[in-house]
Every structure is written in C-alpha cells, then in structure tokens.
mmCIF file of all heavy atoms in Angstrom:
data_model
loop_
_atom_site.group_PDB
_atom_site.id
_atom_site.type_symbol
_atom_site.label_atom_id
_atom_site.label_comp_id
_atom_site.label_asym_id
_atom_site.label_seq_id
_atom_site.Cartn_x
_atom_site.Cartn_y
_atom_site.Cartn_z
ATOM 1 N N GLN A 830 12.434 -9.302 9.780
ATOM 2 C CA GLN A 830 12.016 -8.531 8.610
ATOM 3 C C GLN A 830 10.529 -8.673 8.322
ATOM 4 O O GLN A 830 9.923 -7.822 7.676
ATOM 5 C CB GLN A 830 12.811 -8.966 7.381
ATOM 6 C CG GLN A 830 12.533 -10.410 6.956
ATOM 7 C CD GLN A 830 13.188 -10.754 5.637
ATOM 8 O OE1 GLN A 830 13.611 -9.875 4.903
ATOM 9 N NE2 GLN A 830 13.294 -12.029 5.338
ATOM 10 N N HIS A 831 9.930 -9.774 8.797
ATOM 11 C CA HIS A 831 8.515 -10.033 8.538
ATOM 12 C C HIS A 831 7.593 -9.374 9.556
ATOM 13 O O HIS A 831 6.423 -9.097 9.236
ATOM 14 C CB HIS A 831 8.245 -11.539 8.533
ATOM 15 C CG HIS A 831 8.957 -12.267 7.442
ATOM 16 N ND1 HIS A 831 9.362 -13.575 7.574
ATOM 17 C CD2 HIS A 831 9.371 -11.868 6.216
ATOM 18 C CE1 HIS A 831 9.981 -13.955 6.455
ATOM 19 N NE2 HIS A 831 9.992 -12.927 5.627
ATOM 20 N N CYS A 832 8.067 -9.148 10.756
ATOM 21 C CA CYS A 832 7.145 -8.713 11.814
ATOM 22 C C CYS A 832 7.516 -7.406 12.500
ATOM 23 O O CYS A 832 6.703 -6.861 13.249
ATOM 24 C CB CYS A 832 6.995 -9.822 12.860
ATOM 25 S SG CYS A 832 8.523 -10.240 13.738
ATOM 26 N N ILE A 833 8.719 -6.863 12.257
ATOM 27 C CA ILE A 833 9.147 -5.693 13.010
ATOM 28 C C ILE A 833 8.235 -4.491 12.768
ATOM 29 O O ILE A 833 7.831 -3.800 13.710
ATOM 30 C CB ILE A 833 10.632 -5.350 12.687
ATOM 31 C CG1 ILE A 833 11.102 -4.177 13.539
ATOM 32 C CG2 ILE A 833 10.828 -5.059 11.213
ATOM 33 C CD1 ILE A 833 11.144 -4.458 15.010
ATOM 34 N N LEU A 834 7.883 -4.223 11.515
ATOM 35 C CA LEU A 834 7.054 -3.054 11.232
ATOM 36 C C LEU A 834 5.613 -3.243 11.693
ATOM 37 O O LEU A 834 4.959 -2.289 12.121
ATOM 38 C CB LEU A 834 7.095 -2.723 9.741
ATOM 39 C CG LEU A 834 8.392 -2.083 9.260
ATOM 40 C CD1 LEU A 834 8.331 -1.817 7.760
ATOM 41 C CD2 LEU A 834 8.666 -0.779 9.995
ATOM 42 N N VAL A 835 5.123 -4.469 11.612
ATOM 43 C CA VAL A 835 3.777 -4.751 12.122
ATOM 44 C C VAL A 835 3.729 -4.458 13.617
ATOM 45 O O VAL A 835 2.771 -3.851 14.121
ATOM 46 C CB VAL A 835 3.390 -6.216 11.843
ATOM 47 C CG1 VAL A 835 2.043 -6.546 12.478
ATOM 48 C CG2 VAL A 835 3.332 -6.483 10.345
ATOM 49 N N THR A 836 4.779 -4.860 14.329
ATOM 50 C CA THR A 836 4.863 -4.604 15.765
ATOM 51 C C THR A 836 4.919 -3.111 16.057
ATOM 52 O O THR A 836 4.236 -2.604 16.956
ATOM 53 C CB THR A 836 6.100 -5.293 16.359
ATOM 54 O OG1 THR A 836 6.053 -6.692 16.077
ATOM 55 C CG2 THR A 836 6.167 -5.086 17.863
ATOM 56 N N ILE A 837 5.717 -2.383 15.297
ATOM 57 C CA ILE A 837 5.852 -0.932 15.497
ATOM 58 C C ILE A 837 4.527 -0.222 15.242
ATOM 59 O O ILE A 837 4.115 0.662 16.008
ATOM 60 C CB ILE A 837 6.960 -0.370 14.585
ATOM 61 C CG1 ILE A 837 8.330 -0.865 15.060
ATOM 62 C CG2 ILE A 837 6.922 1.162 14.569
ATOM 63 C CD1 ILE A 837 9.457 -0.510 14.116
ATOM 64 N N ILE A 838 3.839 -0.602 14.159
ATOM 65 C CA ILE A 838 2.550 0.019 13.835
ATOM 66 C C ILE A 838 1.536 -0.236 14.943
ATOM 67 O O ILE A 838 0.802 0.670 15.362
ATOM 68 C CB ILE A 838 2.032 -0.511 12.490
ATOM 69 C CG1 ILE A 838 2.907 0.023 11.346
ATOM 70 C CG2 ILE A 838 0.562 -0.125 12.267
ATOM 71 C CD1 ILE A 838 2.698 -0.696 10.037
ATOM 72 N N ALA A 839 1.496 -1.471 15.434
ATOM 73 C CA ALA A 839 0.577 -1.805 16.526
ATOM 74 C C ALA A 839 0.897 -0.988 17.778
ATOM 75 O O ALA A 839 -0.012 -0.459 18.439
ATOM 76 C CB ALA A 839 0.652 -3.295 16.828
ATOM 77 N N MET A 840 2.177 -0.843 18.088
ATOM 78 C CA MET A 840 2.579 -0.074 19.268
ATOM 79 C C MET A 840 2.221 1.400 19.123
ATOM 80 O O MET A 840 1.747 2.032 20.069
ATOM 81 C CB MET A 840 4.080 -0.242 19.505
ATOM 82 C CG MET A 840 4.484 -1.633 19.964
ATOM 83 S SD MET A 840 6.274 -1.812 20.143
ATOM 84 C CE MET A 840 6.611 -0.613 21.436
ATOM 85 N N LEU A 841 2.426 1.966 17.928
ATOM 86 C CA LEU A 841 2.077 3.366 17.691
ATOM 87 C C LEU A 841 0.573 3.580 17.844
ATOM 88 O O LEU A 841 0.131 4.604 18.401
ATOM 89 C CB LEU A 841 2.534 3.797 16.301
ATOM 90 C CG LEU A 841 4.044 3.970 16.109
ATOM 91 C CD1 LEU A 841 4.364 4.256 14.644
ATOM 92 C CD2 LEU A 841 4.585 5.083 17.002
ATOM 93 N N ALA A 842 -0.216 2.629 17.347
ATOM 94 C CA ALA A 842 -1.673 2.743 17.472
ATOM 95 C C ALA A 842 -2.096 2.665 18.937
ATOM 96 O O ALA A 842 -2.994 3.401 19.377
ATOM 97 C CB ALA A 842 -2.351 1.646 16.659
ATOM 98 N N ILE A 843 -1.464 1.795 19.703
ATOM 99 C CA ILE A 843 -1.787 1.668 21.133
ATOM 100 C C ILE A 843 -1.389 2.933 21.884
ATOM 101 O O ILE A 843 -2.141 3.445 22.721
ATOM 102 C CB ILE A 843 -1.082 0.429 21.723
ATOM 103 C CG1 ILE A 843 -1.692 -0.850 21.125
ATOM 104 C CG2 ILE A 843 -1.213 0.411 23.249
ATOM 105 C CD1 ILE A 843 -0.918 -2.110 21.444
ATOM 106 N N ILE A 844 -0.203 3.461 21.584
ATOM 107 C CA ILE A 844 0.242 4.708 22.219
ATOM 108 C C ILE A 844 -0.708 5.852 21.883
ATOM 109 O O ILE A 844 -1.096 6.640 22.753
ATOM 110 C CB ILE A 844 1.684 5.047 21.777
ATOM 111 C CG1 ILE A 844 2.676 4.035 22.366
ATOM 112 C CG2 ILE A 844 2.059 6.470 22.202
ATOM 113 C CD1 ILE A 844 4.078 4.145 21.796
ATOM 114 N N ALA A 845 -1.097 5.941 20.599
ATOM 115 C CA ALA A 845 -2.027 6.990 20.185
ATOM 116 C C ALA A 845 -3.355 6.875 20.923
ATOM 117 O O ALA A 845 -3.971 7.897 21.279
ATOM 118 C CB ALA A 845 -2.249 6.918 18.670
ATOM 119 N N TYR A 846 -3.796 5.646 21.173
ATOM 120 C CA TYR A 846 -5.058 5.442 21.882
ATOM 121 C C TYR A 846 -4.969 5.932 23.325
ATOM 122 O O TYR A 846 -5.860 6.646 23.811
ATOM 123 C CB TYR A 846 -5.436 3.965 21.844
ATOM 124 C CG TYR A 846 -6.662 3.635 22.653
ATOM 125 C CD1 TYR A 846 -7.938 3.986 22.190
ATOM 126 C CD2 TYR A 846 -6.561 3.006 23.888
ATOM 127 C CE1 TYR A 846 -9.070 3.705 22.941
ATOM 128 C CE2 TYR A 846 -7.684 2.723 24.649
ATOM 129 C CZ TYR A 846 -8.941 3.069 24.170
ATOM 130 O OH TYR A 846 -10.067 2.802 24.905
ATOM 131 N N PHE A 847 -3.887 5.569 24.012
ATOM 132 C CA PHE A 847 -3.773 5.928 25.424
ATOM 133 C C PHE A 847 -3.472 7.414 25.638
ATOM 134 O O PHE A 847 -3.782 7.964 26.690
ATOM 135 C CB PHE A 847 -2.702 5.069 26.108
ATOM 136 C CG PHE A 847 -3.180 3.682 26.441
ATOM 137 C CD1 PHE A 847 -2.748 2.592 25.716
ATOM 138 C CD2 PHE A 847 -4.096 3.471 27.467
ATOM 139 C CE1 PHE A 847 -3.197 1.318 26.011
ATOM 140 C CE2 PHE A 847 -4.557 2.200 27.766
ATOM 141 C CZ PHE A 847 -4.106 1.116 27.041
ATOM 142 N N PHE A 848 -2.889 8.066 24.634
ATOM 143 C CA PHE A 848 -2.594 9.488 24.754
ATOM 144 C C PHE A 848 -3.493 10.329 23.841
ATOM 145 O O PHE A 848 -3.155 11.463 23.510
ATOM 146 C CB PHE A 848 -1.120 9.748 24.419
ATOM 147 C CG PHE A 848 -0.168 9.199 25.443
ATOM 148 C CD1 PHE A 848 0.373 7.932 25.305
ATOM 149 C CD2 PHE A 848 0.171 9.956 26.564
ATOM 150 C CE1 PHE A 848 1.245 7.426 26.250
ATOM 151 C CE2 PHE A 848 1.049 9.456 27.514
ATOM 152 C CZ PHE A 848 1.581 8.188 27.372
ATOM 153 N N ASP A 849 -4.627 9.765 23.492
ATOM 154 C CA ASP A 849 -5.529 10.402 22.530
ATOM 155 C C ASP A 849 -5.905 11.827 22.945
ATOM 156 O O ASP A 849 -5.845 12.750 22.134
ATOM 157 C CB ASP A 849 -6.788 9.550 22.363
ATOM 158 C CG ASP A 849 -7.716 10.095 21.299
ATOM 159 O OD1 ASP A 849 -7.571 9.711 20.129
ATOM 160 O OD2 ASP A 849 -8.591 10.922 21.638
ATOM 161 N N ASP A 850 -6.291 12.009 24.184
ATOM 162 C CA ASP A 850 -6.751 13.322 24.644
ATOM 163 C C ASP A 850 -5.662 14.383 24.531
ATOM 164 O O ASP A 850 -5.951 15.561 24.300
ATOM 165 C CB ASP A 850 -7.242 13.243 26.093
ATOM 166 C CG ASP A 850 -8.536 12.450 26.221
ATOM 167 O OD1 ASP A 850 -9.245 12.317 25.197
ATOM 168 O OD2 ASP A 850 -8.824 11.966 27.327
ATOM 169 N N ALA A 851 -4.401 13.950 24.683
ATOM 170 C CA ALA A 851 -3.297 14.902 24.706
ATOM 171 C C ALA A 851 -2.777 15.256 23.314
ATOM 172 O O ALA A 851 -2.300 16.373 23.099
ATOM 173 C CB ALA A 851 -2.158 14.353 25.567
ATOM 174 N N ILE A 852 -2.880 14.310 22.356
ATOM 175 C CA ILE A 852 -2.194 14.529 21.075
ATOM 176 C C ILE A 852 -3.093 14.459 19.842
ATOM 177 O O ILE A 852 -2.662 14.839 18.750
ATOM 178 C CB ILE A 852 -1.035 13.521 20.900
ATOM 179 C CG1 ILE A 852 -1.573 12.084 20.847
ATOM 180 C CG2 ILE A 852 -0.007 13.679 22.000
ATOM 181 C CD1 ILE A 852 -0.491 11.037 20.586
ATOM 182 N N SER A 853 -4.313 13.979 19.984
ATOM 183 C CA SER A 853 -5.154 13.765 18.794
ATOM 184 C C SER A 853 -5.447 15.067 18.045
ATOM 185 O O SER A 853 -5.522 15.081 16.813
ATOM 186 C CB SER A 853 -6.468 13.075 19.174
ATOM 187 O OG SER A 853 -7.233 13.884 20.045
ATOM 188 N N ASP A 854 -5.604 16.173 18.774
ATOM 189 C CA ASP A 854 -5.903 17.444 18.105
ATOM 190 C C ASP A 854 -4.797 17.867 17.146
ATOM 191 O O ASP A 854 -5.047 18.601 16.181
ATOM 192 C CB ASP A 854 -6.111 18.548 19.146
ATOM 193 C CG ASP A 854 -7.442 18.416 19.869
ATOM 194 O OD1 ASP A 854 -8.305 17.670 19.371
ATOM 195 O OD2 ASP A 854 -7.617 19.052 20.926
ATOM 196 N N LEU A 855 -3.595 17.375 17.387
ATOM 197 C CA LEU A 855 -2.462 17.750 16.546
ATOM 198 C C LEU A 855 -2.260 16.812 15.366
ATOM 199 O O LEU A 855 -1.715 17.211 14.343
ATOM 200 C CB LEU A 855 -1.178 17.782 17.390
ATOM 201 C CG LEU A 855 0.121 18.203 16.692
ATOM 202 C CD1 LEU A 855 0.002 19.626 16.146
ATOM 203 C CD2 LEU A 855 1.302 18.090 17.641
ATOM 204 N N PHE A 856 -2.724 15.557 15.497
ATOM 205 C CA PHE A 856 -2.356 14.545 14.513
ATOM 206 C C PHE A 856 -3.509 13.919 13.727
ATOM 207 O O PHE A 856 -3.286 13.295 12.694
ATOM 208 C CB PHE A 856 -1.574 13.421 15.205
ATOM 209 C CG PHE A 856 -0.236 13.837 15.736
ATOM 210 C CD1 PHE A 856 -0.006 13.906 17.097
ATOM 211 C CD2 PHE A 856 0.788 14.192 14.868
ATOM 212 C CE1 PHE A 856 1.231 14.303 17.589
ATOM 213 C CE2 PHE A 856 2.030 14.578 15.342
ATOM 214 C CZ PHE A 856 2.252 14.638 16.719
ATOM 215 N N VAL A 857 -4.739 14.032 14.188
ATOM 216 C CA VAL A 857 -5.869 13.373 13.525
ATOM 217 C C VAL A 857 -6.148 13.999 12.160
ATOM 218 O O VAL A 857 -5.989 15.207 11.973
ATOM 219 C CB VAL A 857 -7.116 13.445 14.428
ATOM 220 C CG1 VAL A 857 -8.394 13.140 13.641
ATOM 221 C CG2 VAL A 857 -6.988 12.465 15.583
ATOM 222 N N TYR A 858 -6.580 13.150 11.214
ATOM 223 C CA TYR A 858 -7.007 13.645 9.891
ATOM 224 C C TYR A 858 -8.209 14.565 10.068
ATOM 225 O O TYR A 858 -9.270 14.136 10.529
ATOM 226 C CB TYR A 858 -7.377 12.464 8.990
ATOM 227 C CG TYR A 858 -7.957 12.861 7.636
ATOM 228 C CD1 TYR A 858 -7.188 12.807 6.484
ATOM 229 C CD2 TYR A 858 -9.284 13.279 7.516
ATOM 230 C CE1 TYR A 858 -7.717 13.162 5.240
ATOM 231 C CE2 TYR A 858 -9.821 13.645 6.290
ATOM 232 C CZ TYR A 858 -9.031 13.585 5.160
ATOM 233 O OH TYR A 858 -9.560 13.946 3.943
ATOM 234 N N GLN A 859 -8.036 15.826 9.682
ATOM 235 C CA GLN A 859 -9.134 16.784 9.656
ATOM 236 C C GLN A 859 -9.042 17.566 8.351
ATOM 237 O O GLN A 859 -8.035 18.228 8.085
ATOM 238 C CB GLN A 859 -9.069 17.738 10.859
ATOM 239 C CG GLN A 859 -9.343 17.048 12.183
ATOM 240 C CD GLN A 859 -9.477 18.019 13.342
ATOM 241 O OE1 GLN A 859 -9.915 19.156 13.146
ATOM 242 N NE2 GLN A 859 -9.114 17.587 14.525
ATOM 243 N N HIS A 860 -10.081 17.467 7.550
ATOM 244 C CA HIS A 860 -10.068 18.015 6.200
ATOM 245 C C HIS A 860 -9.712 19.497 6.190
ATOM 246 O O HIS A 860 -8.862 19.941 5.393
ATOM 247 C CB HIS A 860 -11.434 17.795 5.558
ATOM 248 C CG HIS A 860 -11.488 18.186 4.109
ATOM 249 N ND1 HIS A 860 -11.687 19.490 3.685
ATOM 250 C CD2 HIS A 860 -11.358 17.440 2.980
ATOM 251 C CE1 HIS A 860 -11.682 19.528 2.372
ATOM 252 N NE2 HIS A 860 -11.487 18.304 1.910
ATOM 253 N N GLN A 861 -10.324 20.268 7.059
ATOM 254 C CA GLN A 861 -10.100 21.709 7.051
ATOM 255 C C GLN A 861 -8.652 22.054 7.386
ATOM 256 O O GLN A 861 -8.038 22.916 6.738
ATOM 257 C CB GLN A 861 -11.035 22.399 8.051
ATOM 258 C CG GLN A 861 -10.872 23.917 8.077
ATOM 259 C CD GLN A 861 -11.846 24.584 9.036
ATOM 260 O OE1 GLN A 861 -12.710 23.931 9.614
ATOM 261 N NE2 GLN A 861 -11.706 25.885 9.209
ATOM 262 N N LEU A 862 -8.074 21.391 8.387
ATOM 263 C CA LEU A 862 -6.714 21.700 8.799
ATOM 264 C C LEU A 862 -5.693 21.226 7.762
ATOM 265 O O LEU A 862 -4.655 21.864 7.566
ATOM 266 C CB LEU A 862 -6.427 21.069 10.164
ATOM 267 C CG LEU A 862 -7.251 21.648 11.313
ATOM 268 C CD1 LEU A 862 -6.971 20.906 12.606
ATOM 269 C CD2 LEU A 862 -6.976 23.139 11.488
ATOM 270 N N ILE A 863 -5.998 20.129 7.084
ATOM 271 C CA ILE A 863 -5.118 19.670 6.004
ATOM 272 C C ILE A 863 -5.119 20.693 4.872
ATOM 273 O O ILE A 863 -4.076 21.006 4.290
ATOM 274 C CB ILE A 863 -5.554 18.282 5.500
ATOM 275 C CG1 ILE A 863 -5.291 17.230 6.576
ATOM 276 C CG2 ILE A 863 -4.802 17.912 4.213
ATOM 277 C CD1 ILE A 863 -5.886 15.870 6.263
ATOM 278 N N SER A 864 -6.293 21.234 4.574
ATOM 279 C CA SER A 864 -6.393 22.245 3.510
ATOM 280 C C SER A 864 -5.628 23.513 3.873
ATOM 281 O O SER A 864 -5.271 24.303 2.989
ATOM 282 C CB SER A 864 -7.863 22.582 3.237
ATOM 283 O OG SER A 864 -8.454 23.241 4.343
ATOM 284 N N GLN A 865 -5.348 23.697 5.158
ATOM 285 C CA GLN A 865 -4.591 24.855 5.613
ATOM 286 C C GLN A 865 -3.091 24.569 5.697
ATOM 287 O O GLN A 865 -2.330 25.414 6.153
ATOM 288 C CB GLN A 865 -5.117 25.316 6.977
ATOM 289 C CG GLN A 865 -6.550 25.839 6.921
ATOM 290 C CD GLN A 865 -7.131 26.123 8.294
ATOM 291 O OE1 GLN A 865 -6.447 25.985 9.314
ATOM 292 N NE2 GLN A 865 -8.392 26.516 8.334
ATOM 293 N N GLY A 866 -2.688 23.369 5.267
ATOM 294 C CA GLY A 866 -1.265 23.059 5.187
ATOM 295 C C GLY A 866 -0.744 22.045 6.175
ATOM 296 O O GLY A 866 0.445 21.711 6.135
ATOM 297 N N GLU A 867 -1.581 21.513 7.053
ATOM 298 C CA GLU A 867 -1.115 20.529 8.038
ATOM 299 C C GLU A 867 -1.132 19.133 7.413
ATOM 300 O O GLU A 867 -1.911 18.256 7.783
ATOM 301 C CB GLU A 867 -1.972 20.608 9.303
ATOM 302 C CG GLU A 867 -1.876 21.963 9.990
ATOM 303 C CD GLU A 867 -2.610 22.038 11.312
ATOM 304 O OE1 GLU A 867 -3.071 20.991 11.821
ATOM 305 O OE2 GLU A 867 -2.732 23.154 11.857
ATOM 306 N N LEU A 868 -0.225 18.933 6.469
ATOM 307 C CA LEU A 868 -0.242 17.738 5.627
ATOM 308 C C LEU A 868 0.140 16.466 6.373
ATOM 309 O O LEU A 868 -0.192 15.366 5.920
ATOM 310 C CB LEU A 868 0.698 17.941 4.431
ATOM 311 C CG LEU A 868 0.360 19.109 3.507
ATOM 312 C CD1 LEU A 868 1.364 19.183 2.361
ATOM 313 C CD2 LEU A 868 -1.063 18.988 2.962
ATOM 314 N N TRP A 869 0.852 16.578 7.490
ATOM 315 C CA TRP A 869 1.248 15.381 8.229
ATOM 316 C C TRP A 869 0.031 14.582 8.703
ATOM 317 O O TRP A 869 0.127 13.373 8.912
ATOM 318 C CB TRP A 869 2.117 15.761 9.430
ATOM 319 C CG TRP A 869 1.432 16.596 10.462
ATOM 320 C CD1 TRP A 869 0.675 16.148 11.509
ATOM 321 C CD2 TRP A 869 1.420 18.023 10.543
ATOM 322 N NE1 TRP A 869 0.194 17.206 12.243
ATOM 323 C CE2 TRP A 869 0.640 18.376 11.677
ATOM 324 C CE3 TRP A 869 2.005 19.038 9.787
ATOM 325 C CZ2 TRP A 869 0.424 19.698 12.055
ATOM 326 C CZ3 TRP A 869 1.794 20.354 10.166
ATOM 327 C CH2 TRP A 869 1.021 20.675 11.283
ATOM 328 N N ARG A 870 -1.093 15.238 8.829
ATOM 329 C CA ARG A 870 -2.299 14.560 9.294
ATOM 330 C C ARG A 870 -2.762 13.479 8.315
ATOM 331 O O ARG A 870 -3.467 12.547 8.706
ATOM 332 C CB ARG A 870 -3.431 15.574 9.499
ATOM 333 C CG ARG A 870 -3.168 16.584 10.607
ATOM 334 C CD ARG A 870 -4.270 17.637 10.663
ATOM 335 N NE ARG A 870 -4.033 18.631 11.704
ATOM 336 C CZ ARG A 870 -4.454 18.498 12.965
ATOM 337 N NH1 ARG A 870 -5.134 17.429 13.323
ATOM 338 N NH2 ARG A 870 -4.207 19.452 13.840
ATOM 339 N N THR A 871 -2.378 13.609 7.044
ATOM 340 C CA THR A 871 -2.766 12.600 6.049
ATOM 341 C C THR A 871 -2.121 11.256 6.351
ATOM 342 O O THR A 871 -2.583 10.218 5.866
ATOM 343 C CB THR A 871 -2.372 13.044 4.633
ATOM 344 O OG1 THR A 871 -0.950 13.224 4.570
ATOM 345 C CG2 THR A 871 -3.058 14.352 4.263
#
C-alpha cells in the first residue's frame, strides 16, 4: 500500500520517455489544445 502507486507512476514516466516520439503529441500538456477540449492532457 505504501509503494505500489509510486512504482506505477515511475514506470509510466519511464514508458512515456521511451515512447515519447510516438505518443507525446497526443498526451503532452499544450495550452492551445486543452482550450480546444483535449482535457486529458491536464
């Protein structure tokens, strides 16, 4: 209960780093795209 979510967050960050070129355009915080309704980026 103390470490499971910390481990998951670290793994997600590592996965995002290695697949950055493929997925960052869809998920990164971008002010203009958020204003157009892509709220998941927040």
Side-chain angles (χ1 to χ4, degrees):
Q830 65 172 345
H831 296 150
C832 63
I833 183 65
L834 286 179
V835 175
T836 303
I837 291 172
I838 290 166
M840 291 177 63
L841 288 174
I843 292 170
I844 291 170
Y846 175 74
F847 282 107
F848 291 93
D849 185 90
D850 291 339
I852 63 176
S853 63
D854 286 345
L855 182 61
F856 294 111
V857 164
Y858 175 103
Q859 292 188 30
H860 186 277
Q861 181 178 355
L862 294 176
I863 291 171
S864 67
Q865 295 172 3
E867 298 185 9
L868 300 181
W869 64 86
R870 295 175 181 271
T871 60

